[in-house]
């Protein structure tokens, strides 16, 4: 049984992101599947990468908050959908599947957490 995801108290996750996290393999599971010789960057680094990438992807934010929110959601949603697709295909993988798929899904989710943090930061800017 995997331990429950513990949300940082100062951060609220997108509802679909919370569901993806519950369905996805956690760090311990991925490392156990890959073995100890595999290097997996720390969660904070993966989230920071997602944060920075999202900031580079989004430009020309509208000044009106509702428009800004719609603009950010339009950029965030494809990332969310891609991560969901990755996680949803994991149960159908054959047992002899490389752990790389699990690592990619885990990394995508950590990047997505960072992207959401960036989106919220960008939304709240004056």
């Amino acid at each position: 049984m995997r331990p429950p995801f513990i949300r940082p108290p100062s951060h609220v996750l997108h509802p679909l992101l919370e569901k993806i996290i519950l369905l996805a393999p956690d760090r311990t599971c991925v490392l156990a599947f890959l073995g100890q010789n595999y290097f997996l960057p720390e969660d904070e680094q993966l989230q920071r990468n997602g944060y920075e990438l999202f900031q580079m992807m989004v430009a020309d934010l509208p000044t009106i908050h509702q428009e800004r929110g719609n603009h950010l959601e339009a950029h965030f949603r494809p990332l969310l959908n891609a991560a969901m697709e990755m996680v949803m295909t994991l149960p159908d993988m054959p047992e002899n599947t490389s752990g790389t798929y699990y690592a990619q899904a885990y990394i995508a989710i950590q990047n997505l957490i960072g992207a959401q943090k960036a989106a919220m930061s960008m939304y709240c800017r004056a």
Side-chain angles (χ1 to χ4, degrees):
M1 186 163 117
R2 75 185 213 103
F5 176 76
I6 299 172
R7 180 182 335 154
S10 64
H11 187 67
V12 177
L13 296 175
H14 189 286
L16 286 177
L17 179 53
E18 285 184 352
K19 289 179 183 175
I20 292 171
I21 290 169
L22 292 174
L23 295 171
D26 67 359
R27 182 181 188 84
T28 305
C29 174
V30 171
L31 288 173
F33 193 63
L34 292 171
Q36 294 184 2
N37 293 334
Y38 188 86
F39 172 74
L40 185 63
E42 293 297 322
D43 294 354
E44 294 79 21
Q45 181 60 52
L46 295 171
Q47 291 175 19
R48 193 170 28 255
N49 294 348
Y51 189 101
E52 293 169 2
L53 182 63
F54 191 80
Q55 284 187 317
M56 288 188 282
M57 285 177 28
V58 180
D60 301 325
L61 281 176
T63 55
I64 298 170
H65 272 81
Q66 183 172 357
E67 291 175 14
R68 185 182 310 171
N70 292 340
H71 185 79
L72 290 165
E73 178 72 20
H75 284 80
F76 182 74
R77 180 61 64 160
L79 302 174
L80 185 68
N81 291 342
M84 177 65 94
E85 187 174 324
M86 291 175 84
V87 169
M88 296 306 289
T89 60
L90 290 177
D92 297 328
M93 295 279 179
E95 286 187 33
N96 61 350
T97 299
S98 165
T100 305
Y101 294 109
Y102 291 89
Q104 288 172 342
Y106 179 79
I107 290 168
I109 291 165
Q110 294 303 316
N111 287 167
L112 190 60
I113 292 169
Q116 191 213 328
K117 289 177 183 178
M120 293 307 296
S121 174
M122 294 167 86
Y123 177 76
C124 293
R125 286 185 195 151

